[in-house]
Amino acid sequence: MIPVVDGHNDALLRIWRNGGSLLERDGGHLDVPPMREGGIVAGFFAMFVPAWDDEPADPRASVVRTADGYVVPQEERLPVARAVRIAAELFAIAERELHIVRTVDELERCIAGDAVGAILHLEGAEPIDRKLANLDEWVERGLRSLGIVWSRHNAFGHGVPFRYPGTPDTGPGLTDAGRALVRACNELGVLVDLAHATERTFFDTAELSSAPLVVSHAGVHALCPVPRSLTDAQLDAIGSSGGLVGIVFDTAMTRADGELAPDTPLETIAAHVEHVAGRIGVDHVALGSDFDGCSPPASLSDASKMQALLDVLDWSDADLAKLAHENWLRVLRATWLPPSPATPARA
Ligand SMILES: [Zn+2]
């Protein structure tokens, strides 16, 4: 089995909503036992804050959309204090149940087989105070990855709506607070994830950020024309920054017709991997399943089946290792800060 570092899952949200435990097979796409079976040695676990406590289980069915396809602005429905509370509850589940990865060394130990690791990711910066007053706290606790926006506007930037067909050019980019957030993430060594961002938010960040550009879970627009997909110009920017794209497993974000269809063949997902590798090189493509947050094909219906996707790629073992984990290691080495020497005891 080739050890896989997976770029995105929503398992914490599932446990937060439904209860249960990640330590046993619990009816979702991704828990620790199926991760082990599928060779997923570590993953980015999203802390996603839904707009309402009483939303139904599918986060995409749950949002209320405006006439042009956006969810309502978080300022109206998702005050920071509430977002902080929910994200902290998601964080607590991860601390209780998972081995949290904070350094590249720790991630390397997961790849060597020592533990199944969780990299903590905030999907949408709603729980960050707009003056960034609480960002340090999150990072100290273990946050290592932050998506500026989900598919809604927030104080920091603009995200794309879910629609078919469409381009990612659906609105404005970073706000001033968003620019400050990107700079602060660079300084603190937090990965900035551009999944769900508008094309403008993407290129505003590309201009500003000193780190490799990362989109943790998306497909390519040339193969599936939805706003969540990346245009070739975006791919080129990711490649020249030394970054990567994690290919998403959602059928509606990978099929040319944008349909949710469980009988979608694995080759449809693999074609996105091949497109990115063909355009910007095998060093810049990875996997970002979106397990528990999307509708994957039946043949990839949970984490235990991860290796099946690698099996359909006619690639060398060396290239498969890049796709599966080495590209993530390279990007995180260039992004995260080296661990600081032990802090001296206070007088
Ligand atoms: Zn997402």
Side-chain angles (χ1 to χ4, degrees), residues 96-117:
R96 193 175 67 233
E97 303 216 323
L98 300 166
H99 173 75
I100 296 183
V101 167
R102 295 179 172 84
T103 67
V104 173
D105 279 1
E106 286 170 358
L107 185 57
E108 280 177 328
R109 287 201 285 277
C110 293
I111 291 167
D114 287 3
V116 171

Side-chain angles (χ1 to χ4, degrees), residues 8 123 150 196 217 228 290:
H8 191 88
E123 187 171 24
W150 185 65
H196 293 275
H217 58 302
R228 276 279 283 110
D290 204 7

Side-chain angles (χ1 to χ4, degrees), residues 150-172:
W150 185 65
S151 284
R152 58 192 175 201
H153 308 316
N154 67 23
F156 303 100
H158 294 78
V160 287
F162 296 102
R163 66 162 78 118
Y164 178 94
T167 81
D169 183 17
T170 61

Side-chain angles (χ1 to χ4, degrees), residues 7 20 49-50 71 96 119 122 126 155 191 205 209 239 247 252 263 282 288 292 304 314 335 337:
V49 177
V71 303
R96 193 175 67 233
I119 300 164
L122 204 49
E126 283 83 356
L191 181 109
T205 305
S209 179
I247 297 301
D263 62 350
V282 72
D292 285 317
S304 72
D314 189 21
T335 304
L337 300 180

Side-chain angles (χ1 to χ4, degrees), residues 14-15 19-22 24-28 31 34:
R14 190 190 89 230
I15 299 294
S21 168
L22 291 162
E24 46 205 67
R25 198 178 295 273
D26 214 10
D31 296 295

